[in-house]
Amino acid sequence: MSRTPIIAGNWKMFKTVSEAVAFFEAVKGKAEVAGVESVICAPFTNLPALVEAAKGTSIAIGAQNLHFEDNGAFTGEISGVMLKDLGVKYVLIGHSERRQYFAETDETVNKKVHAAFRHSLVPIVCIGENLEEREAGTTKDVCRVQTEAAFKGVSAEQAAQSVIAYEPVWAIGTGKSSTSADAQDVIGYVRSIIAELYDQATADAIRIQYGGSVKPNNVAEYMGQADIDGALVGGASLEPDSYIALVEGAK
Ligand SMILES: O=C(CO)COP(=O)(O)O
């Protein structure tokens, strides 16, 4: 089976439009490596300029969130209709910061996954345990609950196109990354859950990333693991040279 490696930068709440465009000009042609998919998930305000800048390149643009309704009286929200209209390809769903600070639940994550597919956006579904759960030994249980909930009512064909990002919360922005063996253990388990929910072909097709303090100097180690298909990267995706090194490291 061959899954295309996927490196996605999650810029979180960083970069003005001019900073985003300057970044893109610096990585163009460099963070484009044959056989590796490269995605920038930027703040909403940067998306029109980035989609324009990305034309003619192999770099895809993603959003960091969407509302689960297509339109309506939801002040301050952005829908899948709007993202699709812009030319965005990917959308992060259920990032732990959204779950923690913006009250997202397994149920809203599931609704957002359906909203993404209604508009032909590829969801990057984020799952992962917090420190307390890790210390209690419930990492796999937490990942099972989150995965099963996120994919409720999602077809095998849709699941096969999806991306899952396993991001242990305690490893995000802390410099304390999961060991590659631990990440492989959990990600292999998540793949087995997809096989149970669907079938082996779907499990073989879905791409699963590791996220949490991934840097240019450790990305290759994660990529060397059988079930790890890429990385979702925060801090190290913000500087052009670092981002280019991440994409090169995923070869
Ligand atoms: O949250 C993350 C990506 O979504 C990970 O962030 P860091 O790479 O900064 O640890």
Side-chain angles (χ1 to χ4, degrees):
M1 114 226 25
S2 70
R3 295 182 293 265
T4 305
I6 177 168
I7 297 294
N10 172 12
W11 283 356
K12 308 193 179 186
M13 196 171 71
F14 290 97
K15 294 193 192 294
T16 62
V17 175
S18 57
E19 287 166 351
V21 171
F23 173 99
F24 204 90
E25 290 307 316
V27 302
K28 217 157 116 174
K30 295 181 184 148
E32 297 185 68
V33 172
V36 179
E37 205 173 346
S38 164
V39 184
I40 299 290
C41 297
F44 290 131
T45 47
N46 293 338
L47 296 175
L50 286 176
V51 168
E52 190 55 36
K55 283 185 180 151
T57 77
S58 61
I59 302 172
I61 305 302
Q64 297 173 10
N65 184 28
L66 83 174
H67 194 272
F68 50 78
E69 295 290 348
D70 292 349
N71 44 54
F74 300 105
T75 301
E77 291 294 311
I78 300 287
S79 75
V81 179
M82 298 167 183
L83 295 177
K84 189 64 193 172
D85 179 56
L86 277 185
V88 165
K89 183 167 178 198
Y90 285 91
V91 59
L92 298 180
I93 295 179
H95 189 280
S96 62
E97 287 150 17
R98 303 277 335 154
R99 295 179 191 252
Q100 191 178 350
Y101 306 129
F102 301 98
E104 292 203 11
T105 62
D106 287 342
E107 193 189 347
T108 58
V109 167
N110 177 245
K111 287 183 176 176
K112 289 178 181 206
V113 170
H114 284 284
F117 280 116
R118 271 203 308 283
H119 303 292
S120 308
L121 299 163
V122 179
I124 301 178
V125 180
C126 304
I127 61 165
E129 82 287 0
N130 62 30
L131 185 60
E132 205 183 340
E133 291 160 341
R134 155 105 1 185
E135 285 175 348
T138 57
T139 294
K140 287 181 176 172
D141 301 332
V142 169
C143 290
R144 172 178 286 277
V145 168
Q146 291 178 342
T147 303
E148 288 183 353
F151 285 89
K152 213 167 149 189
V154 172
S155 71
E157 195 193 338
Q158 291 170 332
Q161 294 161 25
S162 304
V163 178
I164 295 176
Y166 165 60
E167 298 202 302
V169 179
W170 50 268
I172 294 178
T174 58
K176 279 190 255 167
S177 51
S178 175
T179 65
S180 56
D182 269 358
Q184 162 60 32
D185 184 40
V186 179
I187 288 175
Y189 179 71
V190 172
R191 198 178 298 287
S192 77
I193 296 169
I194 297 295
E196 269 175 46
L197 294 176
Y198 299 98
D199 48 42
Q200 195 56 46
T202 307
D204 286 344
I206 195 168
R207 290 182 293 172
I208 311 183
Q209 300 171 307
Y210 167 74
S213 299
V214 175
K215 308 289 176 202
N217 66 7
N218 63 14
V219 66
E221 200 185 318
Y222 292 109
M223 297 307 298
Q225 301 291 322
D227 286 293
I228 303 182
D229 304 316
L232 181 58
V233 188
S237 73
L238 290 167
E239 290 303 324
D241 287 349
S242 171
Y243 185 70
I244 293 163
L246 287 164
V247 176
E248 283 175 344
K251 265 192 277 203

